[in-house]
Amino acid sequence: MALNDLAIGVFDSGIGGLSVLKEAAKALPNENFIYLGDDLNAPYGEKSEDEILFLSEKCADFLAKMGVKAFLIACNTATSAAVKSIREKYSIPVISMEPAVLPAFKHLKEGYSITLATPATVLGEKYLRLLRKVNTDKIISVPCYGLVDLVEQGDFYSKKIFDLLYELLHDLQGLKIDSIVLGCTHYNFIKDVIYEYAENYFDIKDLEVFDGIDGTVKQLKRVLEENNLLKDKNDKEQTILLYSSAGEEKVLDYQKIWSFINDDLIL
């Protein structure tokens, strides 16, 4: 098989990366994708950097054995800990996520921007470099302990999620907020709940929620073009294979979520 006919390998610690996969598959309808969620070891965001690096490399190894032409790391936490190592190990392109701090910063007016992310992302050097780049005290970083666990349960509108948001953010009540950065791909599934929380507890006027997916997908397309890796157009239907380290039962959950999000009920 020619290199450009191979699939694109996508991985995340769990279901979160499906939100990225959806947009990538839409933007690149001729491309095939293989998705791996490491639910057996989720969440990554409260593990040590060494653990995240080890698990991320295992995900990349699995996809490489399946035969892929590029990696898309659909996880901010895995990017922070492992993107450099994976790029050094493999000769194929590696595209990754990062919190959309820069576009959120550009949207700032009189208020603040809040970044919601896992503890590992907020404390990671990659994110800290982003903060140094914008050099402002208008960005508030919130490590969201426990939030990925609730999203992984699949009830994206549960009261538990709203209650945890209250616990994480109640000290900021009444603050004037111009933008919110979703620094974890899992949080895309609860975007509506986060917006509802902001309406109830923040002073908002022209609130924008940034998730970084659009920029990542554009970068994926650009890198494939630059490396002559785009698949030739043909009449075959796009193939998307879903895998989970937790086994077939979790893959069935993926299939349900995939059908749900592709009916445009969310996102």
Side-chain angles (χ1 to χ4, degrees):
M1 182 181 292
L3 187 60
N4 65 326
D5 286 332
L6 296 177
I8 298 163
V10 186
F11 75 85
D12 179 45
S13 64
I15 66 172
L18 292 174
S19 61
V20 184
L21 177 62
K22 174 192 174 179
E23 298 306 323
K26 187 191 298 183
L28 296 164
N30 295 310
E31 299 294 337
N32 298 323
F33 293 85
I34 302 173
Y35 181 86
L36 173 64
D38 191 15
D39 302 271
L40 192 63
N41 298 294
Y44 281 9
E46 297 176 33
K47 298 183 186 301
S48 71
E49 186 171 333
D50 286 344
E51 286 180 289
I52 300 163
L53 172 60
F54 174 74
L55 294 170
S56 300
E57 287 184 337
K58 280 184 66 176
C59 289
D61 291 345
F62 173 89
L63 292 169
K65 288 176 183 176
M66 295 289 292
V68 296
K69 63 184 177 184
F71 293 120
L72 172 53
I73 306 177
C75 175
N76 289 278
T77 301
T79 294
S80 181
V83 66
K84 183 175 183 290
S85 173
I86 293 172
R87 282 180 174 148
E88 290 172 350
K89 184 173 182 179
Y90 289 98
S91 59
I92 61 176
V94 181
I95 295 86
S96 62
M97 300 286 301
E98 71 175 19
V101 170
L102 296 180
F105 171 71
K106 291 175 183 176
H107 183 73
L108 284 178
K109 298 178 180 67
E110 298 177 359
Y112 289 81
S113 177
I114 294 178
T115 298
L116 305 178
T118 67
T121 294
V122 166
L123 298 173
E125 181 56 32
K126 190 174 178 65
Y127 177 72
L128 296 176
R129 281 200 301 271
L130 274 176
L131 292 185
R132 288 196 290 269
K133 190 177 292 187
V134 296
N135 189 27
T136 179
D137 60 359
K138 288 292 194 87
I139 294 175
I140 300 170
S141 306
V142 180
C144 297
Y145 291 90
L147 192 53
V148 167
D149 281 321
L150 290 182
V151 176
E152 277 285 323
Q153 294 174 20
D155 184 357
F156 305 136
Y157 301 95
S158 74
K159 185 175 183 297
K160 286 182 180 179
I161 288 175
F162 196 93
D163 289 346
L164 181 56
L165 287 172
Y166 181 83
E167 183 180 325
L168 293 167
L169 298 170
H170 72 276
D171 287 344
L172 303 175
Q173 279 186 37
L175 200 64
K176 185 177 291 236
I177 302 297
D178 291 331
S179 61
I180 294 175
V181 175
L182 305 183
C184 172
T185 54
H186 280 75
Y187 304 165
N188 294 299
F189 290 107
I190 57 169
K191 190 180 292 186
D192 290 346
V193 180
I194 291 169
Y195 199 94
E196 180 185 350
Y197 182 92
E199 286 183 315
N200 286 333
Y201 293 106
F202 294 142
D203 178 2
I204 63 173
K205 184 177 181 182
D206 183 27
L207 179 70
E208 287 285 340
V209 179
F210 296 89
D211 59 31
I213 293 178
D214 183 61
T216 299
V217 171
K218 286 179 179 175
Q219 174 69 358
L220 171 62
K221 186 174 182 180
R222 184 162 51 246
V223 169
L224 292 177
E225 288 173 344
E226 290 172 353
N227 289 274
N228 296 314
L229 288 174
L230 285 174
K231 192 169 182 288
D232 294 332
K233 292 183 179 180
N234 56 48
D235 297 328
K236 292 182 180 178
E237 186 176 348
Q238 184 180 53
T239 300
I240 297 173
L241 301 178
L242 304 176
Y243 293 89
S244 170
S245 61
E248 287 299 317
E249 188 172 339
K250 192 64 181 181
V251 172
L252 292 176
D253 289 341
Y254 281 5
Q255 291 170 347
K256 292 174 186 175
I257 293 169
W258 185 250
S259 297
F260 183 54
I261 63 177
N262 281 283
D263 283 337
D264 289 326
L265 297 177
I266 58 173
L267 302 183

